[in-house]
Amino acid sequence: MPFLTMSKGYNSDVEALRQKEYPHMNDGVYLDHSGATIYAKSTVDSFCAKMVTNLYGNPHSENFPAKLSGDVVDQVREKTLNFLGASPKEFDLVFVANATAAIKLVADSFRDLSEKTRDRRFWYGYHKDAHTSIVGVRELTYGQSHCFANDQEVERWLHSPETSFVNRYHPGGLGLFAYPGQSNMSGRRLPLSWPGILRESGYLQNTYTLLDAAALAMTFPMETVFQDVDQAPDFTCLSLYKIFGFPDIGALIVRKESGHILTLRKYFGGGTVSMVGTLGENWHRSKGLQTPTYKLHEGLEDGTLPFHSILALGEAIDVHKRLYGSMGRISDHTSYLISRLFRGMASLCHSNGQPVCRVYNENGDFEDSEKQGSAIAFNILRANGQHVPYSDVERSANAAGIYIRSGGVCNPGGIFTALGYEPWMTQRALSAGHHCGSNGISVIHRLPTGIVRASLGAMSTKQDVDTFIEFLRTTFVECDEDWSSTRTAVRSPNTGVLSLDLPFDYTTTTFPDVREIPRPRPLTHQFATAPESIPRISPLPMQDLMHGLAAVK
């Protein structure tokens, strides 16, 4: 049976849900769920209904509207923990703006506590696949940090910390090890066993673990992380809008046996202290240190909580459960789709047999949801092997109504490792004028400085995948080795035809020290049909699926 007709794990109910719950997705193909997934119409409707039928006040007050808000916050906190499979008896949840804010809360607490240590600093280790926000913690360690280059180095350190060189002057001192549950660049999933192994090490009893689950939690059943409290991370950060689309809020899940270390931070905000002295001696009493009178989160949530957003979160959880049933079902659905996308991209070759897509993934296994999430990182190659600038790929996709992401995607270690950069090469890129963002240089000396990322979510469909593969085929597959035609027709997913200028010397322009592939002129397009009448694309012929894939392992 051809691969693209197999549907094991695919949730066909999503196709009907798209029309009813996601009408705002009809204007294109959204493939940037790793950035933020899309909210359901019912979430907005139910949130609005509660907002116009109830009166909510500041939960720090004692009046009836304030008490209503406080009750909502308590209920949604417990509901969120249960949704994630984290027992409220073993874990607490601290509401924050996003995963980065959660990381900073942990980092600031360790920095403050480290001032009481012998050398007034803490050790910090992080994985090279970490998000920029994880990497940034190293700046608080006064040089005592270490980047683990791969999984094997982490494993060696965990099993033999006394013989591993990780830039640590006091191996038994205060430490923090952080890593992502899933690479936000490639979608590769990292081992969840590391926190438990570290906790069992007698040598590392003063080292804590921080799991960045922002990318992982979007399509993964998190009860796998929290079901065994002895194996769970000490701290886990999430951006909840990556799961529900709305509201824009994050969370820090704290293992209660470890959470006391956070209460020793210096800063305190409104609502986190029981008393403060301002005249004469300066002193304060953190609520986090006054258990059981107060709970851990009460000493960590500075100022007034975004109680309206927390109300919306409760509605989002209820709608999410009603629409999808479980995160396990979403995991199966997106695992099927990412495998379909990978195989479709693998089938794309130029007329000379050279691959169109270079996929970056150390696992090389898009079939196993324990190893691979719902994202794929790649670059586009010409028939002569040179790279099409990632910025041009995103620009062309935008013009065709397909929404992806390109560039460094806030993952410096993952990007430069995948692209084969050495430290001196990153310095050359910087000196040449490259920087992260839309105005960076896409290709320097024929080496890309970033990637293209397509990511799928719970409401993604087969049509989304097939439309994207067809876009890549129509736009970038060269049917003639000389590619003598200077104009290529690009068909949008809404059947509108675009005209794309592709110069004959598309990749040969040379600068004194920087070779950048010139970018096509900005495109304009109009959809020929209304979004509601988008025809379903026919399944693509998948012959020699694995032929021509240039996978970087």
Side-chain angles (χ1 to χ4, degrees), residues 308-383:
H308 294 130
S309 294
I310 294 172
L311 169 67
L313 174 61
E315 302 306 305
I317 292 173
D318 291 341
V319 170
H320 194 273
K321 286 183 176 180
R322 175 170 58 82
L323 298 182
Y324 299 106
S326 70
M327 289 302 297
R329 192 177 186 191
I330 290 174
S331 178
D332 292 341
H333 174 74
T334 53
S335 181
Y336 165 81
L337 288 177
I338 199 66
S339 179
R340 180 187 185 94
L341 176 57
F342 171 71
R343 290 175 179 264
M345 293 171 68
S347 73
L348 298 177
C349 295
H350 297 292
S351 60
N352 63 357
Q354 293 301 307
V356 174
C357 302
R358 171 170 287 157
V359 175
Y360 304 100
N361 192 289
E362 295 176 33
N363 289 328
D365 186 355
F366 284 79
E367 307 279 347
D368 187 350
S369 61
E370 291 186 4
K371 296 181 179 180
Q372 180 64 36
S374 58
I376 188 167
F378 65 97
N379 269 309
I380 297 295
L381 302 173
R382 284 203 58 199

Side-chain angles (χ1 to χ4, degrees), residues 250-321:
L252 175 66
I253 311 301
V254 181
R255 186 172 174 268
K256 287 185 176 180
E257 288 190 12
S258 311
H260 57 86
I261 196 170
L262 302 182
T263 65
L264 299 173
R265 64 177 186 148
K266 289 183 176 180
Y267 178 80
F268 59 90
T272 65
V273 289
S274 57
M275 288 193 70
V276 179
T278 57
L279 298 176
E281 182 183 358
N282 292 335
W283 60 272
H284 68 277
R285 294 293 179 267
S286 170
K287 290 180 179 178
L289 292 173
Q290 299 179 64
T291 57
T293 304
Y294 297 101
K295 297 180 180 178
L296 176 66
H297 62 260
E298 293 182 271
L300 299 173
E301 292 173 337
D302 297 311
T304 300
L305 285 171
F307 53 94
H308 294 130
S309 294
I310 294 172
L311 169 67
L313 174 61
E315 302 306 305
I317 292 173
D318 291 341
V319 170
H320 194 273
K321 286 183 176 180

Side-chain angles (χ1 to χ4, degrees), residues 530-547:
E532 292 78 8
S533 59
I534 300 174
R536 289 188 62 81
I537 189 169
S538 301
L540 298 174
M542 290 289 111
Q543 298 177 352
D544 300 324
L545 290 175
M546 300 309 295
H547 176 64

Side-chain angles (χ1 to χ4, degrees), residues 72-108:
V72 167
V73 169
D74 291 340
Q75 293 164 9
V76 175
R77 191 189 309 276
E78 185 170 344
K79 179 185 290 187
T80 306
L81 284 170
N82 289 327
F83 174 84
L84 296 170
S87 168
K89 294 182 179 180
E90 306 289 352
F91 298 91
D92 202 350
L93 184 151
V94 181
F95 284 115
V96 291
N98 47 40
T100 295
I103 294 166
K104 190 173 186 301
L105 174 58
V106 174
D108 287 345

Side-chain angles (χ1 to χ4, degrees), residues 219-262:
T219 60
F220 184 77
M222 290 297 290
E223 59 264 25
T224 305
V225 175
F226 299 117
Q227 61 187 356
D228 186 346
V229 67
D230 292 327
Q231 302 298 312
D234 296 304
F235 316 109
T236 303
C237 62
L238 307 99
S239 291
L240 296 170
Y241 56 83
K242 293 181 185 290
I243 305 175
F244 308 110
F246 172 80
D248 303 336
I249 194 171
L252 175 66
I253 311 301
V254 181
R255 186 172 174 268
K256 287 185 176 180
E257 288 190 12
S258 311
H260 57 86
I261 196 170
L262 302 182

